[in-house]
Amino acid sequence: DSGVTQTPKHLITATGQRVTLRCSPRSGDLSVYWYQQSLDQGLQFLIQYYNGEERAKGNILERFSAQQFPDLHSELNLSSLELGDSALYFCASSVGFLAGNIQYFGAGTRLSVL
Amino acid sequence: GQQLNQSPQSMFIQEGEDVSMNCTSSSIFNTWLWYKQDPGEGPVLLIALYKAGELTSNGRLTAQFGITRKDSFLNISASIPSDVGIYFCAGQLTGGSNYKLTFGKGTLLTVNP
């Protein structure tokens, strides 16, 4: 158990809908990262938050957004969903935001867009 | 952007055999990491490497950070059935404000008992 909690584990929805994925980082970790894992693209970095503030953005679509709350949990919002958004979404957390801070991954949320 | 080439894509081996997989990059990294992912789970860190030339072991696993900082390899000795899974390399670059991990596409390992 990595200590990173993601809910829900599975999500099935229809095209055009909006969903929210939730992540609780390990106790004491201030940084949260979101990754998308698909068969063709592999694991791709989406976005990073540190202590409530956005630190870095990766290949995140404009239809996607995230935030980190004062209690340090984070939510990833996916809107106007398309079939191609079906993937595993992972949250990771680390103590800080510098290189060398090990990222620990949650078990992921499997999103299926039908 | 940075790309990691991980090979082989898959391996089928007999229990007890040694395994080797590697990653190469088009640009340098300051940190190399190796993760393992089991079905239905997130990646779990196996080994972290912070210095060019560094050789680090974790039980039957040994990994090295290449001298050029553009490559890394992972060896698994005397494989056992529970080694089955997908192994990912990941690189991280210091500097700036983005410390994201860039992942390879993974190596699927199957171990026949």
Side-chain angles (χ1 to χ4, degrees):
Chain A
D1 183 2
S2 67
V4 179
T5 304
Q6 287 188 250
T7 56
K9 197 162 178 64
H10 301 278
L11 202 48
I12 301 174
T13 188
T15 54
Q17 295 298 305
R18 171 190 167 94
V19 297
T20 297
L21 282 53
R22 182 187 169 101
C23 170
S24 294
R26 294 188 323 152
S27 176
D29 284 359
L30 298 178
S31 253
V32 169
Y33 311 76
W34 287 97
Y35 291 84
Q36 180 192 58
Q37 185 177 39
S38 60
L39 282 174
D40 55 342
Q41 295 293 322
L43 267 161
Q44 297 283 321
F45 169 74
L46 295 178
I47 197 165
Q48 176 196 356
Y49 278 82
Y50 173 76
N51 204 20
E53 293 188 5
E54 182 184 303
R55 288 293 303 186
K57 262 187 176 180
N59 303 321
I60 188 167
L61 299 172
E62 284 193 13
R63 300 182 285 109
F64 297 180
S65 65
Q67 53 184 326
Q68 186 179 27
F69 294 87
D71 67 352
L72 301 178
H73 90 270
S74 178
E75 292 181 356
L76 179 67
N77 301 298
L78 315 176
S79 61
S80 303
L81 285 168
E82 301 174 0
L83 294 177
D85 297 327
S86 296
L88 271 166
Y89 291 84
F90 288 103
C91 167
S93 75
S94 69
V95 171
F97 61 85
L98 298 177
N101 280 274
I102 299 300
Q103 295 181 28
Y104 295 89
F105 284 76
T109 293
R110 182 176 292 280
L111 174 66
S112 298
V113 182
L114 306 177
Chain B
Q2 294 165 318
Q3 293 185 4
L4 291 187
N5 295 310
Q6 185 172 349
S7 64
Q9 276 189 317
S10 62
M11 301 182 75
F12 298 85
I13 62 171
Q14 293 296 126
E15 183 176 358
E17 289 183 356
D18 297 344
V19 170
S20 185
M21 58 192 79
N22 69 82
C23 264
T24 58
S25 170
S26 56
S27 53
I28 63 172
F29 286 109
N30 291 354
T31 300
W32 281 95
L33 305 134
W34 285 91
Y35 284 86
K36 182 190 177 201
Q37 185 176 17
D38 291 327
E41 301 293 330
V44 174
L45 182 67
L46 299 173
I47 292 180
L49 303 155
Y50 300 104
K51 192 175 169 183
E54 179 181 355
L55 184 71
T56 297
S57 292
N58 178 9
R60 294 177 297 105
L61 277 60
T62 302
Q64 184 157 31
F65 191 143
I67 292 292
T68 65
R69 293 164 64 195
K70 291 184 179 182
D71 63 309
S72 177
F73 73 75
L74 174 70
N75 286 341
I76 305 173
S77 62
S79 58
I80 58 178
S82 62
D83 290 334
V84 165
I86 305 177
Y87 291 79
F88 292 97
C89 62
Q92 191 178 44
L93 190 63
T94 54
S97 62
N98 189 345
Y99 297 102
K100 66 168 184 166
L101 295 178
T102 300
F103 282 88
K105 291 286 179 73
T107 295
L108 173 62
L109 178 64
T110 303
V111 180
N112 296 316

